[in-house]
Amino acid sequence: MGYIFEKYINQKEFGAYYTRNEITEYLCDRTINQLILDAVGLGVRKEETNININDIIANLDANTTRRLLLETLPNLTLLDPACGSGAFLVAAMQTLKYVYSALLGKIEHLRDNTLTAELEKIKKNHPSLDYFITKEIITHNLYGVDIMAEATEIAKLRLFLALVACAEKVEELEPLPNIDFNIMAGNSLIGLMEVQDTDYNGRHGQLSLFTKTYRQVLEEKNRLIADYRNATAYSDELQKLRDDIAGTKAESLPILNEILWDEFKKLKIKYEAAQLTGKPQKRDLDKEDIAALQPFHWGYEFDEIIQQRGGFDAIITNPPWEIFKPNAKEFFFSIATW
C-alpha cells in the first residue's frame, strides 16, 4: 500500500520516497534493540555492530524481565516525524512484537508470581495473545506526523490491517484501537516545541475557552483524548469526543499560531514570494501566512510526551537520501500560469 501510494503521487514535489523493507527493518531493529539494552543496563558501544538481542533476552532474570514488560515497553515512545504511509511505523511494530513475544514466552520458565499472574490475566481477557501484543504496541508505542493527511490515513490503515491479520479466527478480533491522536497530519518542521503558560494565558480572546489557562486547556484536551482512546466501541459518543477534541484545538490554534508568529517576527523572518523575473519580493509575515504553513505544535499535541516526559525515546525516520539541489527552470515552469 505504501509503495502504491508513494508511486501514485508526485514524489519529487512532495518529497515522498518508498523505503525498502530491508532498510526500515534494519534501522528499527538497531534503534529499538539499543533502547532495550540501555533499559537493562547492557548498552553497547556504537562501534559494536552485532547486537544479539536473542541471547540477551534468553538470559534475563525475573526482575529484569518484569521491569521490561511492566515498565519499559508500555512507556516506550517511538516517533516518525515524516511518517508518510507508515513504512517505519510498521517496521517498528514488527520489532517490538518480537521483543514482547520473547519476553512473554520466558514467563513460564521464570516461575515469577507477578509475571505469571500478569500473563494469566492477559490470556483470560484476550483470546489472541498476538492480537493483544500488536494492539498494545499500536496504541502506546507508535507515533507519527506527516504534512499529507492522506498519507497518515494510509499509515493508520496499514497498522490496522497488520493488527487484524493477527487474528486466526473471527472470535479473536477485538475493537480496533483509536489512534487518531497518535498519527496526525501537520507540518512537523514548523511549530512550537514548547508552550509557556504565560505566553498563552496573556492572549485571551472573547471565546469562552480562552477564559481558561493553558494548563486547563491541556488537561481538558488530554482527558478527552484518553476517553477517546479507551472507548471500546464505535458510537455516537465516540464521534462526540472527536468533535469536542477538534473544537478545543480549533479554539486554541489561533493563539498557538500567534505565539509562533511572534517568534518569527523576533527572528526577523520575512515572507519571500518567488517571481518569474527580477528579485524575490519580501514582506512582513502575517497570521494567515503562519496558518497556511500548517504548523504542528508539538508542545500542544504531544505535551504529555514532550513537556512531561522530556521527549520521545527515539526518532525513526527516513535518512536524507538526496542533496537539496533546486532546478530554477523546473520550479518556475511548475508555478507559471499560461
Side-chain angles (χ1 to χ4, degrees):
M1 288 183 64
Y3 177 82
I4 293 171
F5 173 74
E6 288 158 14
K7 288 296 182 184
Y8 174 75
I9 64 174
N10 185 326
Q11 289 185 316
K12 194 163 188 177
E13 180 178 351
F14 291 104
Y17 293 90
Y18 176 72
T19 310
R20 294 168 57 185
N21 290 343
E22 306 94 280
I23 297 173
T24 59
E25 290 170 3
Y26 175 79
L27 292 176
C28 287
D29 283 349
R30 293 284 298 171
T31 301
I32 294 171
N33 290 345
Q34 185 65 57
L35 289 173
I36 300 300
L37 294 172
D38 291 342
V40 298
L42 295 174
V44 298
R45 296 188 301 272
K46 291 182 179 180
E47 61 269 22
E48 296 181 15
T49 57
N50 296 318
I51 302 175
N52 194 329
I53 197 70
N54 301 318
D55 292 343
I56 291 171
I57 291 177
N59 291 301
L60 293 178
D61 59 22
N63 288 334
T64 306
T65 302
R66 188 164 56 244
R67 187 167 78 249
L68 284 174
L69 271 175
L70 303 182
E71 298 175 17
T72 302
L73 290 178
N75 294 302
L76 192 66
T77 55
L78 304 172
L79 168 73
D80 186 345
C83 67
S85 56
F88 277 89
L89 295 177
V90 172
M93 178 195 68
Q94 297 294 352
T95 299
L96 283 171
K97 274 185 68 174
Y98 177 82
V99 175
Y100 264 104
S101 300
L103 291 171
L104 288 173
K106 285 178 56 69
I107 290 179
E108 62 181 80
H109 304 292
L110 292 173
R111 298 184 180 182
D112 179 86
N113 291 335
T114 301
L115 289 173
T116 300
E118 182 67 21
L119 182 59
E120 290 176 351
K121 183 176 73 173
I122 293 171
K123 289 182 176 180
K124 179 181 178 181
N125 296 327
H126 304 278
S128 168
L129 190 60
D130 194 24
Y131 192 101
F132 165 78
I133 292 170
T134 307
K135 185 174 180 179
E136 286 293 294
I137 293 168
I138 293 172
T139 304
H140 300 294
N141 300 131
L142 304 180
Y143 298 84
V145 180
D146 198 89
I147 196 168
M148 292 187 69
E150 302 93 330
T152 62
E153 292 303 314
I154 291 179
K156 286 183 279 190
L157 181 57
R158 288 177 73 180
L159 292 173
F160 289 154
L161 290 174
L163 175 60
V164 171
C166 295
E168 297 181 359
K169 299 179 293 185
V170 173
E171 293 75 17
E172 294 178 348
L173 291 172
E174 299 180 43
L176 295 174
N178 300 317
I179 58 171
D180 290 331
F181 302 99
N182 288 43
I183 302 173
M184 307 175 70
N187 187 339
S188 61
L189 295 178
I190 298 175
L192 299 169
M193 289 300 296
E194 188 174 352
V195 181
Q196 299 296 332
D197 293 8
T198 51
D199 288 339
Y200 187 96
N201 297 343
R203 302 169 188 265
H204 291 165
Q206 296 179 352
L207 296 176
S208 60
L209 176 68
F210 298 152
T211 61
K212 300 176 183 177
T213 66
Y214 182 59
R215 188 56 40 198
Q216 290 172 325
V217 170
L218 288 181
E219 288 174 356
E220 180 179 356
K221 184 261 297 184
N222 292 335
R223 176 183 58 79
L224 291 169
I225 290 177
D227 290 344
Y228 181 81
R229 283 186 176 137
N230 295 327
T232 57
Y234 297 102
S235 63
D236 293 339
E237 179 63 25
L238 195 64
Q239 184 59 50
K240 184 179 184 304
L241 284 170
R242 284 176 58 93
D243 293 342
D244 289 344
I245 295 167
T248 300
K249 180 177 178 177
E251 295 183 350
S252 302
L253 194 57
I255 284 186
L256 298 172
N257 285 349
E258 185 176 304
I259 296 172
L260 182 62
W261 182 43
D262 285 347
E263 293 297 318
F264 275 37
K265 287 190 293 184
K266 289 177 184 177
L267 295 171
K268 298 182 179 180
I269 296 174
K270 300 286 186 179
Y271 182 93
E272 185 171 313
Q275 304 292 316
L276 290 176
T277 59
K279 293 183 178 180
Q281 299 297 311
K282 294 184 179 181
R283 62 169 173 79
D284 291 335
L285 287 169
D286 56 34
K287 294 181 182 179
E288 288 71 26
D289 295 324
I290 299 297
L293 293 171
Q294 304 176 56
F296 188 84
H297 298 297
W298 297 91
Y300 174 85
E301 304 288 6
F302 293 137
D303 66 289
E304 292 180 305
I305 296 175
I306 297 292
Q307 295 183 216
Q308 296 180 31
R309 297 192 198 178
F312 291 89
D313 292 295
I315 305 296
I316 47 170
T317 196
N318 245 326
W321 298 114
E322 298 184 5
I323 61 172
F324 180 68
K325 190 176 182 181
N327 184 317
K329 183 180 294 185
E330 181 183 85
F331 172 75
F332 286 119
F333 179 80
S334 68
I335 64 170
T337 56
W338 304 95

